Amino acid sequence: MPALGQLENATLMEVERTPPAHRKMLDILPGVSGGVARIMVGQPFDTVKTRLQVLGRGTIGAAGMPPEMVYNSGLDCVRKMMKSEGSSAFYKGAAAPLLGNMVLLGIHFPTFTKTRAYLEQSDAPGTFTPWKILAAGAAAGAAGSVVSTPTEHIRTKMQMVRKNNILAQMKGAAAGHLNPQENYKDNWDCAKKILRNHGLRGIYSGYMPTLLRDMQGYAWFFFGYEAAIRGLAGPGRTKADLEYWQVMGAGVMAGFGLWGSMFPIDTIKSKIQADSLSKPQFKGALDCLERSLQVEGFAGLWRGVVPAMLRAVPVNAAIFLTVEGTRQLIAESEERIDAVVCKVHGAQAAVA
């Protein structure tokens, strides 16, 4: 029996050490899986959105560009990209945001959950206070902007490599086409060159508009989701009672809240990050805003919004389906762990 007792003690220690790490995984892993879903589904939409923001007809960036690099609409952008660059161009620069979003949503979801719990700690169960959800979402956006700024900067630079090479050719540049400091082969090469030549300030170009965008966007992202969940569940029911299609529908509402609230700021962010670091066209975010309004008008700040809103449907449905599905799987595994703990305790009691 001593051997059995030793085995039971070892098993109990192993199981009882698992739940704390498991609970941390419950916070982080769903967001990580959601980040993968976001990029795999949404990258082509984002590429079209960014090109319209920077190279749409009538924009500052489109001035002097050849017709094949100036886009009248999202469909026109897709058609021209397929013809001149092929389908792989839609995923250009995806590696950095893929890794970044795995971290990013691993920050957003637990930050929102913990901030909301802190703000609602004195509230009665089931209380729904809009400003607290908005504040928790803004906190999640602020925390995530530290990661989203460099990853989106690298993605935007990679999405603009073709434009920069064409500009260099038009100016009669030598065989390399482009200043070697800004001729990026891939994501890693882009990150190395920016850090080497411009430091952290360079890699964090566009941080302030990204911070403002993410605080506003994720406030309405989480509010849209939680409000939709509350409406769909109805009195006396919780998220666990909803069907998968309802969770996906709430995710779509979250995406509409995200992009509908922050798109003009995202346009300025895209223009800043697409700009040359060596010879910048804009002095900063305010200068970019002023000049964009002068040349393009207020409507120019919304250029590319259609692909962004279309993107919100499959991307955010996939994000929340993945996040909630992962949470459910982890919760079920925790229940199994608890059952093992109970059995081991029971076996120890019997031995004693």
Side-chain angles (χ1 to χ4, degrees):
M1 295 304 292
L4 176 59
Q6 290 172 3
L7 177 61
E8 288 166 346
N9 284 332
T11 305
L12 180 60
M13 289 174 65
E14 180 182 349
V15 171
E16 290 187 332
R17 286 172 182 160
T18 302
H22 221 68
R23 283 192 290 272
K24 290 181 181 178
M25 189 185 300
L26 182 61
D27 282 339
I28 297 171
L29 186 58
V32 170
S33 59
V36 174
R38 165 183 277 179
I39 295 303
M40 298 311 296
V41 177
Q43 176 72 8
F45 293 93
D46 188 84
T47 298
V48 174
K49 171 195 73 74
T50 302
R51 292 218 183 185
L52 285 172
Q53 288 174 324
V54 178
L55 293 169
R57 183 170 297 280
T59 61
I60 295 173
M65 294 298 295
E68 66 269 18
M69 285 297 294
V70 178
Y71 310 113
N72 299 319
S73 65
L75 288 176
D76 182 54
C77 180
V78 171
R79 180 179 60 80
K80 288 178 176 177
M81 286 182 66
M82 287 294 294
K83 182 179 179 180
S84 59
E85 303 171 62
S87 58
S88 62
F90 293 98
Y91 279 91
K92 189 176 288 293
L98 177 60
L99 294 174
N101 271 272
M102 290 171 66
V103 176
L104 191 59
L105 291 190
I107 293 172
H108 282 154
F109 281 89
T111 301
F112 170 77
T113 300
K114 292 180 185 302
T115 305
R116 182 183 181 183
Y118 173 78
L119 293 174
E120 294 181 344
Q121 58 186 329
S122 60
D123 295 347
T127 302
F128 186 85
T129 308
W131 78 263
K132 292 182 180 180
I133 294 174
L134 289 167
S145 65
V146 178
V147 176
S148 62
T149 301
T151 56
E152 291 189 22
H153 186 196
I154 292 169
R155 173 170 63 183
T156 302
K157 282 286 190 285
M158 293 303 299
Q159 289 170 336
M160 292 296 117
V161 164
R162 177 174 165 78
K163 171 216 170 187
N164 293 334
N165 274 294
I166 288 176
L167 277 176
Q169 286 179 313
M170 291 170 64
K171 294 176 181 177
H177 300 318
L178 191 65
N179 178 351
Q181 293 182 4
E182 297 186 348
N183 192 10
Y184 310 120
K185 299 175 183 177
D186 52 40
N187 291 271
W188 179 238
D189 182 57
C190 179
K192 285 194 301 182
K193 286 179 176 176
I194 292 175
L195 284 169
R196 183 172 64 239
N197 297 311
H198 304 283
L200 281 175
R201 184 182 182 88
I203 204 73
Y204 272 88
S205 176
Y207 175 68
M208 285 309 298
T210 304
L211 173 64
L212 293 174
R213 180 202 70 171
D214 286 0
M215 288 183 68
Q216 178 161 305
Y218 281 97
W220 291 100
F221 176 80
F222 283 106
F223 179 82
Y225 180 69
E226 294 296 333
I229 286 291
R230 184 178 177 84
L232 290 168
R237 299 175 74 225
T238 67
K239 189 189 307 179
D241 299 314
L242 297 180
E243 301 291 338
Y244 280 126
W245 69 266
Q246 293 175 307
V247 172
M248 293 171 71
V252 172
M253 294 305 297
F256 287 160
L258 177 76
W259 287 106
S261 67
M262 74 178 192
F263 197 83
I265 308 175
D266 182 73
T267 297
I268 298 303
K269 188 273 308 179
S270 293
K271 289 176 182 286
I272 292 292
Q273 293 187 331
D275 201 7
S276 168
L277 290 169
S278 302
K279 297 179 180 179
Q281 189 175 15
F282 305 111
K283 297 176 183 178
L286 288 178
D287 178 57
C288 179
L289 175 61
E290 290 174 2
R291 292 178 60 189
S292 296
L293 288 172
Q294 288 172 2
V295 175
E296 306 169 32
F298 183 73
L301 298 177
W302 292 90
R303 197 181 304 275
V305 70
V306 173
M309 298 304 275
L310 290 175
R311 173 187 189 272
V313 176
V315 169
N316 291 284
I319 286 174
F320 281 97
L321 180 62
T322 305
V323 167
E324 299 298 353
T326 305
R327 280 177 172 166
Q328 182 175 342
L329 287 173
I330 295 176
E332 289 173 356
S333 67
E334 284 194 326
E335 289 177 2
R336 288 194 291 269
I337 288 174
D338 290 341
V340 171
V341 171
C342 289
K343 287 180 179 179
V344 172
H345 276 301
Q348 280 194 318
V351 170

